[in-house]
Amino acid sequence: MHEPVRILAINPGSTSTKIGVFDNEKPILEETLRHDPREIAKYNDLFEQYPFRKQVILETLDQEGINLTRLNAVVARGGLLRPIPGGTYEVNQAMIEDLRSGEFGVHASNLGAIIAQEIAGQLHIPAFIVDPVVVDELQPVARISGVPEIERKSIFHALNQKAVARRIARQNGTSYEKVNYVVAHLGGGITVGAHHQGRVIDVNNGLHGEGPFSPERAGTVPIGDLVAISYSGKFFASEIMRMLVGRGGLMGYLGTSDAREVEERIASGDEKAKLIYEAMAYQVAKEIGAYSTVLAGKVDGIILTGGLAYGEIFTGMIKERVSWIGPVYVVPGENELQALAEGALRVIRGEEKALVYSPDEKGVKTSSG
């Protein structure tokens, strides 16, 4: 039995902040704190919001009777930082400075480490982040794009992909560092990663449109045609980006990004909806097949996760095409708060060493130096 450990997990989004309190792996509180857009609009930039968001978190914990002095750690979703290997990182000043600068991008998740550090600092307990979207473990050959001026980048659903891979490995009586999985996160964006003994050695960049199309994103499109419409004079650059991210995929073809609505339309006989939905599953299956070759066919399992994994029709169409590669595990949802808590627990229990974020070219080191 493990000693009891209480952890506060924080996951800021654009108009909400999700929080969870965990006793070891068990959630005792999970809340989504929704912020009035008019309140958010009062602030001139993202970082002016953090005192307000921090106060809402503290008030909610007080209302729920959570004694802050019983916390052992605070953990937050990592923001847009420089590319780093996966793992659990201590929040430090170098990290805070990079998040505040916006040099690597501005997103609500950048607030997580800042809020976590302030709460933890007052309690004299550690603050962590776990597997941010900028996790970069690509092997050198995976970085080559075919155009010398463009390098492939690693931006994906690292937190959930790694968490579910660890979970399935444990269920199978082994460890994440000893297995090879292909993990497909199926959400508003879709990313498929080749996990080789604890490292994601190749993955599609789901942010700006590699890989399968998704409910809102276009994925990889015929490049010559994209160049042609970009210079046709009919569209501004911002309109092209909206076609690729936001109004691509299901939204572009069917006018909705809600997979449940698409499945209802299919059930009522909508042949176009059926074709487009099947095409999305088809492209996911192709991507899984491609990443199986990255692992040279040595695939211990394929994991389907994310919100779309709740759809039995969709996962069924994928499984039909890829089950010959290896056993398929379906782990619906994202469970990000749970994944954050588990990352902090691994460090507190001594199963992993905390990593230290560093702005130098070496990137990171372990907390022991």
Side-chain angles (χ1 to χ4, degrees), residues 77-84 103-107 109 131-138 142-143 151-159 161 183 185 189-193 200-212 217 287 291:
R77 182 181 175 194
L80 296 174
L81 295 158
R82 64 187 67 242
I84 52 177
E103 180 181 352
F104 304 99
V106 177
H107 185 271
S109 59
D131 290 329
V133 295
V134 295
V135 164
D136 184 347
E137 299 167 338
L138 297 186
R143 300 185 188 279
E151 182 178 90
R152 291 189 64 240
K153 295 180 177 66
S154 176
I155 301 178
F156 71 111
H157 303 91
L159 180 62
Q161 282 209 22
V183 183
H185 178 104
I190 290 175
T191 56
V192 181
V200 184
I201 60 173
D202 202 350
V203 65
N204 66 295
N205 180 342
L207 181 64
H208 284 159
E210 285 185 336
R217 298 175 190 173
E287 200 80 355
Y291 282 91

Side-chain angles (χ1 to χ4, degrees), residues 182-187 189-193 204 211-215 276-292 302-305 308 314-315 317-319 321-322 325:
V182 177
V183 183
H185 178 104
L186 311 172
I190 290 175
T191 56
V192 181
N204 66 295
F213 73 80
S214 74
I276 301 305
Y277 205 48
E278 183 177 0
M280 187 166 69
Y282 174 82
Q283 290 195 6
V284 171
K286 279 174 63 176
E287 200 80 355
I288 290 169
Y291 282 91
S292 299
I302 295 162
I303 305 173
L304 307 180
T305 185
L308 289 177
F314 188 63
T315 56
M317 289 189 289
I318 296 170
K319 286 193 284 188
R321 293 186 181 275
V322 303
I325 298 171

Side-chain angles (χ1 to χ4, degrees), residues 12 34 44 71 76 87 95-96 118 121 137 269 300 314 343:
R34 305 198 182 278
N44 293 321
L71 293 176
M95 181 186 296
I96 297 296
E118 288 216 350
E137 299 167 338
D300 296 301
F314 188 63

Side-chain angles (χ1 to χ4, degrees), residues 188-322:
I190 290 175
T191 56
V192 181
H195 294 240
H196 175 65
Q197 297 178 1
R199 296 177 67 84
V200 184
I201 60 173
D202 202 350
V203 65
N204 66 295
N205 180 342
L207 181 64
H208 284 159
E210 285 185 336
F213 73 80
S214 74
E216 298 176 350
R217 298 175 190 173
T220 302
V221 297
I223 194 71
D225 293 336
L226 180 60
V227 171
I229 66 168
S230 296
Y231 286 90
S232 66
K234 296 179 181 178
F235 305 100
F236 292 109
S238 59
E239 292 176 301
I240 297 292
M241 283 305 298
R242 286 285 289 163
M243 287 182 194
L244 299 176
V245 181
R247 296 204 59 82
L250 294 184
M251 179 62 77
Y253 284 106
L254 301 175
T256 181
S257 59
D258 188 337
R260 292 166 298 184
E261 180 183 333
V262 175
E263 293 201 1
E264 289 169 5
R265 286 162 63 171
I266 292 170
S268 65
D270 186 328
E271 289 298 321
K272 180 179 179 182
K274 181 181 178 182
L275 174 65
I276 301 305
Y277 205 48
E278 183 177 0
M280 187 166 69
Y282 174 82
Q283 290 195 6
V284 171
K286 279 174 63 176
E287 200 80 355
I288 290 169
Y291 282 91
S292 299
T293 70
V294 171
L295 299 171
K298 297 173 183 175
V299 180
D300 296 301
I302 295 162
I303 305 173
L304 307 180
T305 185
L308 289 177
Y310 285 108
E312 293 184 8
I313 295 174
F314 188 63
T315 56
M317 289 189 289
I318 296 170
K319 286 193 284 188
E320 185 178 346
R321 293 186 181 275
V322 303

